[in-house]
Amino acid sequence: MTSEERRQDMLRLFSESEEPITGSELALRFHVTRQIIVKDIALMKAEGILVISTAKGYFLQKKTEIWKKRTITVCHDEKSMEEELKIIVDLGGRALNTQVNHPVYGKLGEELNIKSRKDIQRFLKKISDTGCAPLLHLTKGVHMHEIEAEDEKSLDEICEALHEAGYLISE
């Protein structure tokens, strides 16, 4: 097997894997040293392939930058946060952040990066555990989210569902 063929096979493995693959695993699989794998990874990166190196191994970076983004303004109480976020993630979206326009302090916000129901539960637990009030309390429920999805159609579906639920003010 040539080094080019090995790199192509590595790329295929990275594409198919949900977990990072260690250099040792790759070395065993291809019957080469870890140093050869490190060199192959460096060559792949030089070719513009987005290989990420971590302590747990190597993986391909996901190209989220091709997702479409939209800033929406919504209004609801604290009890409706979970439903609002579920609408977004269940329709394939991500809630990237939350922000309010406070009349005294101006724009206040925080990164959320919520992409799953598990992330929603983690976020709600953090609010519960800390006893801190969500930002929407500062503006009587009015707040903004930057959301993203794979395409404009998905963003439209999310906005339509938020509108039907009575949350969407504007997009």
Side-chain angles (χ1 to χ4, degrees):
M1 171 180 286
T2 68
S3 61
E4 178 64 32
E5 291 169 333
R6 185 176 53 251
R7 288 193 302 276
Q8 288 302 316
D9 281 354
M10 287 169 57
L11 185 57
R12 181 186 49 76
L13 287 172
F14 293 146
S15 297
E16 294 171 354
S17 179
E18 294 292 319
E19 300 293 324
I21 304 170
T22 68
S24 297
E25 289 174 289
L26 293 167
L28 281 172
R29 181 178 183 97
F30 294 110
H31 308 289
V32 296
T33 65
R34 270 189 67 253
Q35 288 175 318
I36 297 292
I37 297 300
V38 170
K39 189 184 231 182
D40 284 342
I41 296 294
L43 288 170
M44 293 169 80
K45 288 180 177 183
E47 292 171 6
I49 298 169
L50 301 174
V51 179
I52 304 298
S53 306
T54 71
K56 294 183 178 183
Y58 301 104
F59 64 93
L60 287 179
Q61 180 178 340
K62 306 291 186 232
K63 294 186 178 183
T64 57
E65 63 272 3
I66 61 172
W67 284 39
K68 304 296 181 185
K69 294 181 181 181
R70 189 176 295 176
T71 300
I72 59 172
T73 303
V74 293
C75 183
H76 58 76
D77 59 15
E78 186 174 348
K79 294 176 186 172
S80 299
M81 287 189 325
E82 182 174 9
E83 182 184 1
E84 173 211 29
L85 293 169
K86 282 181 179 177
I87 289 170
I88 295 168
V89 301
D90 288 352
L91 291 171
R94 298 177 183 164
L96 299 178
N97 60 41
T98 188
Q99 187 177 53
V100 296
N101 282 323
H102 191 273
V104 175
Y105 301 113
K107 290 187 179 189
L108 302 171
E110 183 60 42
E111 296 296 315
L112 295 177
N113 295 314
I114 292 176
K115 60 187 177 306
S116 68
R117 284 181 174 234
K118 185 176 182 180
D119 291 342
I120 294 169
Q121 294 310 311
R122 194 176 297 126
F123 172 67
L124 295 174
K125 184 175 181 341
K126 188 173 183 180
I127 289 173
S128 174
D129 289 352
T130 62
C132 293
L135 286 175
L136 59 83
H137 280 267
L138 298 173
T139 54
K140 298 179 182 162
V142 177
H143 59 288
M144 295 164 290
H145 292 295
E146 183 176 26
I147 61 172
E148 71 176 0
E150 288 185 358
D151 50 43
E152 292 293 335
K153 182 180 178 200
S154 297
L155 287 172
D156 291 342
E157 290 172 357
I158 292 167
C159 289
E160 183 178 329
L162 289 169
H163 177 73
E164 288 174 11
Y167 302 143
L168 186 68
I169 295 175
S170 68
E171 49 182 293

